[in-house]
């Protein structure tokens, strides 16, 4: 099946998504497939370090939340038309976890912006995640060395912009702060 990042003649579903096979990386958004480019080394470095920090924090606190790096399928709605693979998903409600991934909105999602299609992370996914009920969404942008933090709690929507020299507090945790300067400066 050829995957396209523009309008397709057919509307696809969850069943079609799982028929793609494990060697195909794509997301299903509003019934349309979007190819996912192979990640760069910098993307993977950022992903690995952020996952390790969050995993170690949850483990040390004996927390009930779980953190999963991509590829990890997240079915955002019951409509079977939206399955995404965020770079990092933090799920605090264990009833959302299934054998296939997550069914429902994660509490916290981190995406590392793609240099080939940043609109996908900044617009398409931001709107999708906000509508699904994701509490917190971070976009880490290696090209501009910025981190965009969206607090999407219903009564407290806010956007803050940070640089790769800043320490950022996670909104879903009271005492988790990530100092980007300690691990990103040697990556570039």
């Amino acid at each position: 099946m050829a995957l396209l990042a523009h309008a397709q003649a057919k509307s696809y579903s969850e069943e079609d998504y799982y028929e793609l096979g494990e060697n195909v990386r794509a997301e299903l958004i509003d019934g349309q497939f979007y190819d996912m480019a192979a990640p760069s080394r910098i993307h993977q470095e950022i992903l690995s370090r952020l996952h390790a920090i969050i995993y170690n924090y949850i483990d040390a606190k004996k927390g009930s939340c779980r953190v999963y790096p991509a590829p990890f399928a997240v079915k955002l709605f019951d409509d079977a038309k939206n399955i995404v693979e965020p770079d990092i998903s933090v799920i605090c409600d264990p009833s959302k976890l299934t054998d296939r991934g997550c069914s429902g909105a994660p509490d916290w999602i981190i995406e590392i912006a793609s240099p080939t299609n940043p609109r996908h992370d900044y617009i398409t996914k931001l709107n999708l995640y906000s509508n699904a009920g994701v509490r917190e969404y971070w976009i880490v942008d290696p090209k501009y060395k910025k981190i965009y933090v969206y607090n999407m709690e219903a009564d407290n929507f806010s956007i803050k912009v940070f640089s790769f020299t800043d320490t950022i507090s996670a909104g879903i945790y009271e005492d988790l702060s990530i100092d980007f300067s300690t691990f990103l400066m040697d990556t570039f």
Side-chain angles (χ1 to χ4, degrees):
M1 173 184 313
L3 303 177
L4 307 171
H6 53 73
Q8 298 159 14
K10 178 183 175 184
S11 181
Y12 296 94
S13 70
E14 178 178 8
E15 183 178 320
D16 299 310
Y17 174 83
Y18 285 109
E19 287 178 1
L20 291 175
E22 291 185 21
N23 60 338
V24 177
R25 294 223 35 229
E27 294 181 306
L28 180 65
I29 299 176
D30 295 328
Q32 300 299 299
F33 281 116
Y34 290 81
D35 283 322
M36 297 178 71
S40 68
R41 180 194 62 81
I42 291 171
H43 178 282
Q44 292 302 92
E45 183 78 24
I46 294 168
L47 172 67
S48 296
R49 291 183 185 207
L50 286 172
H51 176 260
I53 289 167
I54 297 166
Y55 176 87
N56 289 337
Y57 170 84
I58 293 170
D59 188 54
K61 295 287 186 173
K62 309 274 188 261
S64 61
C65 298
R66 297 290 178 257
V67 59
Y68 297 95
F72 181 73
V74 175
K75 180 181 169 186
L76 290 167
F77 306 101
D78 289 334
D79 65 5
K81 299 284 184 189
N82 292 285
I83 301 175
V84 293
E85 294 185 9
D87 289 314
I88 295 178
S89 301
V90 178
I91 298 102
C92 298
D93 180 352
S95 71
K96 292 181 180 181
L97 297 173
T98 69
D99 288 342
R100 289 188 156 171
C102 177
S103 185
D107 294 87
W108 181 17
I109 288 178
I110 299 174
E111 295 282 9
I112 298 143
S114 166
T116 58
N117 189 9
R119 176 181 167 86
H120 192 61
D121 294 316
Y122 284 102
I123 298 171
T124 305
K125 285 187 166 183
L126 172 62
N127 289 322
L128 197 62
Y129 295 158
S130 179
N131 291 335
V134 173
R135 294 169 52 199
E136 186 169 355
Y137 176 40
W138 291 16
I139 300 172
V140 178
D141 194 324
K143 181 177 180 179
Y144 297 105
K145 296 184 173 78
K146 299 283 184 195
I147 302 100
Y148 299 84
V149 175
Y150 297 85
N151 174 341
M152 299 191 295
E153 300 275 354
D155 297 337
N156 192 25
F157 189 94
S158 66
I159 304 165
K160 294 182 181 172
V161 181
F162 299 91
S163 75
F164 277 19
T165 59
D166 291 326
T167 299
I168 304 171
S169 296
I172 69 165
Y173 295 110
E174 291 181 14
D175 60 347
L176 172 59
S177 294
I178 299 174
D179 183 355
F180 278 79
S181 70
T182 62
F183 69 88
L184 289 179
M185 299 317 281
D186 62 341
T187 303
F188 297 96

